[in-house]
Amino acid sequence: MDEVTVVVAHSERATLRVGDVFLKVDSDQARLDVEVEAMALAPVPTPEVLWRKPPVLAIAALPGKALGRLGEPSTASPAAWAAAGAAIRKVHEAPLPPWPGRRRRDPDELAAELDNECELLVANGVLPADLVTRNRHVAEAAIRPWTPVFAHGDLQIDHVFVDGDEVTGIIDWSEASQGDALFDLATLTLGHEEHLGDVLAGYGTDVDLDVIRAWWSVRSLLGVRWLVAHGFDAFAPGCEVDVLRARM
């Protein structure tokens, strides 16, 4: 009998692996709805949906392995990173999904959320004030109007699978929406700044690097307290706090 492996688990959702099947259990039915619809619309390989019985979604494992892991050096080739960039470009050039998404879209809303989180990080002694202040300044470049694209919305490095130099699929589409292209690119390269050039070579168009760096700061500042509260180590080498320190 195949063993049950817990891939990720916290109070909102859990993902289990049994052999070549992943079982996603989500307290929010809307996230599963978005995931299924987004995978059907995406112009890149995605996992096969095996069955669905709320609150559980069963999907097949993808061939290959994850492009890398946050906090660990990536063993993927520069060509594989470039292939990931090309795949992301295909998604961003696809027709917009019909739903707007749940992430903040208004620059003022993002600024207010960021200011509140920065205040809490310092007031609760989670991070030193100088680190928060510097990254809040860097983050300002991300607070601007942007043209929406079909965005994955949570394009972490371990959500992109490769076999050699080819992308075999992209997983975890529950945050897909009409989003900011540079947020996707920043999420993929978070903690792996050395591979940004390869990704952009595959992406094939000029982007504002200051906005990419700004999104690294935004994602890390907004994520640290949530990660700690849900049992993840944002202070591990190469993870979110190190990303913030790199901006000093």
Side-chain angles (χ1 to χ4, degrees):
M1 180 180 292
D2 292 317
E3 292 185 353
V4 176
T5 302
V6 178
V7 179
V8 63
H10 50 77
S11 60
E12 296 178 2
R13 68 189 85 167
T15 301
L16 311 176
R17 180 168 187 168
V18 186
D20 289 332
V21 177
F22 285 89
L23 302 175
K24 305 191 71 171
V25 185
D26 201 314
S27 62
D28 186 344
Q29 180 60 38
R31 276 196 292 255
L32 292 183
D33 293 341
V34 165
E35 180 150 13
V36 171
E37 189 167 354
M39 288 193 293
L41 295 174
V44 295
T46 61
E48 177 189 0
V49 176
L50 300 176
W51 52 265
R52 184 182 180 196
K53 186 175 182 180
V56 183
L57 172 66
I59 59 176
L62 288 171
K65 62 181 182 179
L67 189 61
R69 305 285 180 190
L70 183 62
E72 301 176 8
S74 171
T75 59
S77 68
W81 280 90
I88 298 166
R89 180 72 181 274
K90 287 182 180 179
V91 176
H92 290 171
E93 290 183 335
L96 290 174
W99 60 91
R102 297 180 294 181
R103 291 189 181 275
R104 83 289 299 172
R105 287 169 285 154
D106 181 84
D108 292 338
E109 182 183 355
L110 174 59
E113 181 182 2
L114 196 53
D115 287 341
N116 181 66
E117 189 63 26
C118 288
E119 182 179 342
L120 291 172
L121 286 168
V122 175
N124 294 333
V126 179
L127 294 174
D130 61 339
L131 183 64
V132 172
T133 300
R134 169 58 183 161
N135 277 276
R136 176 62 182 85
H137 176 73
V138 172
E140 191 66 27
I143 304 173
R144 88 281 182 224
W146 40 268
T147 302
V149 301
F150 185 164
H152 181 280
D154 191 24
L155 197 63
Q156 299 178 51
I157 185 175
D158 54 357
H159 291 169
V160 178
F161 278 68
V162 296
D163 186 1
D165 297 337
E166 296 184 2
V167 173
T168 58
I170 299 176
I171 66 172
D172 284 359
W173 291 82
S174 62
E175 299 295 336
S177 68
Q178 299 177 23
D180 182 358
L182 300 193
F183 179 77
D184 270 357
L185 293 172
T187 302
L188 179 68
T189 54
L190 183 78
H192 290 272
E193 186 172 353
E194 69 277 11
H195 295 293
L196 178 59
D198 298 323
V199 170
L200 296 183
Y203 193 72
T205 187
D206 291 335
V207 304
D208 190 329
L209 295 181
D210 285 341
V211 176
I212 295 284
R213 297 185 184 102
W215 275 124
W216 288 338
S217 290
V218 171
R219 184 169 179 111
S220 298
L221 287 169
L222 294 180
V224 169
R225 286 196 317 119
W226 185 94
L227 290 165
V228 171
H230 289 80
F232 300 100
D233 189 1
F235 291 82
C239 294
E240 285 78 6
V241 175
D242 271 359
V243 171
L244 296 173
R245 289 171 178 153
R247 309 273 72 79
M248 297 297 285

